[in-house]
Amino acid sequence: MMPLSKLPVRRGVKCAALVVTLALLAQPCWPAALPGSDLSPPQTAGVPIPRGQVDKAVAKLDALARALLKRSGIPGMAVAVVKDGKTVYAKGFGIRKVGETRLVDADTVFQIASLSKSISATVVARQVGAGVVKWNTPVVGHLPWFALADDWVSKHVTIGDMFAHRSGLPDHSGDDLEDMGYDRRQVLERLRFAPLQPFRSTYAYTNFGLTAAAEAVAAASGTDWATLAETVLYKPLGMAATSSRFDDFIKQDNRAGGHVLVGGSYVPKYQRRPDAQSPAGGVSSTVRDLAKWMAMVLGQGRYEGREIIAEDALLQAMTAQIVSTPSFAVDARASFYGYGFGVGVSPAGRVTLSHSGAFALGAGTHYLMIPSAGVGIVILTNAWPIGVAETLGAEFADLVQFGAITRDWFPAYQRLLAPTTKPFGTLVGKAAPAGPAPAQTLSAYAGVYANDYYGDVVVEQSDRGLILKMGPSGVSYALDHWDGNEFVFKPSSENAPDGSISAATFAIDGATPARTLTIELLNENGIGVFARR
């Protein structure tokens, strides 16, 4: 899931003489200090933070967390706050898993979903600082087998491009392949068949693009990604409960289960296994461990007096590299993305670093840091994303910067995150045709259908009708007749929440076997057409 940060870019220019002045004010190369000022203009916040205001904000977290838990109905959450390099708050609320009584605490291990991207960015930054790679190192320099649809882009796309989501790969490319059972290497090899948007001028959030870059860094380091992360980041920071391996998470006794909403109640129905995209979404951790990581980030690479990451290498990750969401109105702040970090400016005029994480199968996570205040908060929840984590982060940020909560953030974040758990398909909520056109004999549809990106799918005829089988794991769905040569099936996965309905439409001439099969679930980028072998 993408970060939730915004940055104002509105500039009022009344005459040509002001253009140069305003441009200079926006540049980081302004002199380090002006007469009578401790900060350069770009570092000046619009609202000061009075002494003691951060402490007052922390003191209100217990009540805020409990209120959100009650209001939302989610089973549990954990929260930690860092101030000036120290963990000043770390607590758990609610239960780890519905049906059990064990409580969440600061040492409960959660799947942190896309917060993994920021963690992984710091792993890469460490290797950049150590001279192993550079942010502008081409991915193929260490993964010679990797390719995209355009040969020039394949040769030039860098580690930084992938971590900034500006490679040109379509939004969430490869996630559907993961759902079908492809492993990491198989997914990355098939990205060459995905259509490309303009290189370095298009932002599109891609878990597996970032994963490809991480794999290149691991290869350059002579090890696998999970071991690299453990060696250069988790162990040096003392993050003993943190791992980039699912097997380590599932072995933890004090771990949170994922929950989805079923019939108005949260149920531990699924278990997300994100190893294929581990650098982008497969980290598991505790708020106590993540507080150490935030302290290091806010310390510009230093933790407890030790350099963990070279400051210059980390700074590149934490500064804006591309516009992620352009302003929708002249008075709206845009969103920016660094290398694995969301970068923005708050209404108080302070730079923020943030990211959210979401598993439709049962995780909602968020962190927000305000470097100028030396403060950061991380919130981990064990339910699918409905905005609880983001709401608590926004409430805390309000209290830190303004001394009061400025609005009811929960409804706003609920609306923003609703698409994450919305059932997929144009036929969702529609009644089947009352008088559908008849189908052909089922044998006309049975067969093997090929696609470069997705591989083969198989349509089998059985006593119960048609069965669709997809991917190396043979994920199977019953095909129910809808109208004419159109059938439907009901997928359920990370990218197709419960209640989804996908059309499966055959192209057929007369009594001959079907020529092609178009699967709606796989056709968002126009590549979901399969040809009969």
Side-chain angles (χ1 to χ4, degrees), residues 314-371:
L314 183 58
L315 179 62
Q316 295 176 69
M318 300 189 298
T319 48
Q321 301 294 336
I322 191 169
V323 177
S324 55
T325 306
S327 299
F328 60 85
V330 69
D331 61 348
R333 292 182 297 278
S335 298
F336 287 77
Y337 204 83
Y339 295 144
F341 284 82
V343 185
V345 169
S346 77
R350 294 179 182 272
V351 172
T352 61
L353 304 175
S354 67
H355 215 294
S356 285
F359 285 161
L361 299 186
T365 61
H366 181 67
Y367 76 77
L368 185 146
M369 290 183 267
I370 308 174

Side-chain angles (χ1 to χ4, degrees), residues 180-352:
M180 294 170 69
Y182 288 100
D183 63 26
R184 187 184 304 176
R185 176 66 180 258
Q186 291 171 322
V187 172
L188 297 182
E189 287 179 338
R190 290 181 177 275
L191 291 182
R192 70 188 63 194
F193 299 114
L196 289 179
Q197 299 169 17
F199 182 44
R200 289 183 182 158
S201 63
T202 306
Y203 173 90
Y205 193 79
T206 53
N207 290 306
F208 281 96
L210 186 148
T211 296
E215 283 290 277
V217 176
S221 304
T223 187
D224 65 276
W225 175 259
T227 300
L228 176 64
E230 181 179 38
T231 302
V232 306
L233 187 69
Y234 306 156
K235 285 186 177 179
L237 285 176
M239 299 170 68
T242 303
S243 176
S244 294
R245 303 180 186 89
F246 175 78
D247 283 348
D248 290 339
F249 166 73
I250 208 67
K251 291 175 184 176
Q252 294 280 356
D253 179 63
N254 184 3
R255 72 176 187 273
H259 297 79
V260 298
L261 198 62
V262 179
S265 300
Y266 282 97
V267 177
K269 188 176 181 180
Y270 302 106
Q271 176 58 67
R272 179 78 163 93
R273 296 174 177 267
D275 271 348
Q277 56 166 271
S278 178
V283 175
S284 57
S285 189
T286 69
V287 293
R288 196 183 302 280
D289 274 6
L290 292 173
K292 298 175 182 179
W293 173 80
M294 288 195 300
M296 182 273 297
V297 171
L298 291 168
Q300 301 178 73
R302 300 187 68 82
Y303 179 69
E304 295 184 340
R306 296 174 290 121
E307 182 182 89
I308 306 298
I309 301 172
E311 181 178 348
D312 289 348
L314 183 58
L315 179 62
Q316 295 176 69
M318 300 189 298
T319 48
Q321 301 294 336
I322 191 169
V323 177
S324 55
T325 306
S327 299
F328 60 85
V330 69
D331 61 348
R333 292 182 297 278
S335 298
F336 287 77
Y337 204 83
Y339 295 144
F341 284 82
V343 185
V345 169
S346 77
R350 294 179 182 272
V351 172
T352 61

